[in-house]
Amino acid sequence: NAGVMQNPRHLVRRRGQEARLRCSPMKGHSHVYWYRQLPEEGLKFMVYLQKENIIDESGMPKERFSAEFPKEGPSILRIQQVVRGDSAAYFCASSFLGLRTDTQYFGPGTRLTVL
Amino acid sequence: AQTVTQSQPEMSVQEAETVTLSCTYDTSESDYYLFWYKQPPSRQMILVIRQEAYKQQNATENRFSVNFQKAAKSFSLKISDSQLGDAAMYFCAYRFPGGGADGLTFGKGTHLIIQP
């Protein structure tokens, strides 16, 4: 019973490049959440998606960041023109129905380093 | 806005002893959910325990239990018979399932050290 999968685990980009982070939810889960963890901080919510829909992007920076969860394939968090301040660990979580009672299960995270 | 505060950046406990990690939160809601997550050096976030605010009974999972004080907005985690594998960052988290915000709100974490 595979858990939430994220890849790559580590990603290095130079300033100005694009970063693409992938998340495959647990089997049977159709709700995905993205979080960002800066050094020495807790996780901060970014965006909540269902298949083909963005439900809540209240934590997403207005520029350069986008997320999608297509009908087929993993959820993608895309960061365009990365800057040093984007260096962080990005975590994906999934839940079964997205109901208020659902527990979110986390992936191992992608550590992004911007040079 | 909801906030979660963990006032102990670091705690240390002897193996086999009991330790309590503190968490307070601020909310005007009455129906919400509280969680403790563990983040070991591998950085994987692991759910330790959850509590529904409408339940008066404190949640328990083996050696882990909570002291949920709704009026005081306090949600502490007690770890009994501490083991070396318990060493990790522990994050308290809050979720209010409404108002358009579906994500968890996390505290800054407590680094738990287990002394052999």
Side-chain angles (χ1 to χ4, degrees), chain B residues 23-82:
Chain B
C23 172
T24 58
Y25 56 94
D26 183 25
T27 183
S28 57
E29 305 299 334
S30 60
D31 186 16
Y32 49 87
Y33 298 83
L34 297 164
F35 306 83
W36 279 98
Y37 281 89
K38 169 185 176 181
Q39 187 179 45
S42 66
R43 302 196 65 83
Q44 173 84 51
M45 292 290 287
I46 302 165
L47 177 67
V48 175
I49 201 165
R50 63 176 265 168
Q51 174 82 42
E52 291 86 351
Y54 65 85
K55 289 186 177 179
Q56 293 186 339
Q57 187 173 6
N58 289 323
T60 299
E61 288 288 341
N62 300 314
R63 297 183 294 108
F64 298 86
S65 61
V66 299
N67 183 7
F68 174 46
Q69 301 288 329
K70 190 172 184 179
K73 297 179 184 175
S74 171
F75 182 60
S76 60
L77 175 70
K78 186 171 85 170
I79 306 174
S80 304
D81 185 25
S82 299

Side-chain angles (χ1 to χ4, degrees), chain B residues 84-113:
Chain B
L84 293 177
D86 296 333
M89 285 292 291
Y90 285 81
F91 292 96
C92 178
Y94 163 101
R95 184 183 188 196
F96 167 59
D102 290 280
L104 294 163
T105 300
F106 284 86
K108 290 193 174 184
T110 296
H111 182 208
L112 178 63
I113 298 168

Side-chain angles (χ1 to χ4, degrees), chain A residues 27-114:
Chain A
K27 188 175 180 181
H29 287 194
S30 57
H31 299 256
V32 165
Y33 309 78
W34 284 95
Y35 294 82
R36 177 165 64 177
Q37 184 180 31
L38 295 170
E40 311 301 323
E41 295 282 326
L43 280 69
K44 294 281 197 290
F45 168 74
M46 299 179 73
V47 62
Y48 162 41
L49 311 102
Q50 294 177 25
K51 287 282 186 181
E52 301 185 278
N53 286 302
I54 296 175
I55 306 301
D56 176 5
E57 55 183 348
S58 58
M60 191 87 106
K62 293 289 185 281
E63 296 179 351
R64 301 187 299 107
F65 285 73
S66 62
E68 62 176 12
F69 189 15
K71 188 176 180 182
E72 301 291 337
S75 175
I76 307 285
L77 179 67
R78 183 182 177 204
I79 311 172
Q80 294 179 291
Q81 299 174 335
V82 296
V83 301
R84 289 224 172 100
D86 296 333
S87 294
Y90 291 82
F91 288 89
C92 165
S94 73
S95 67
F96 179 49
L97 292 174
L99 297 177
R100 56 191 62 190
T101 56
D102 274 1
T103 294
Q104 296 179 17
Y105 295 91
F106 284 80
T110 293
R111 186 182 295 273
L112 172 66
T113 301
V114 180

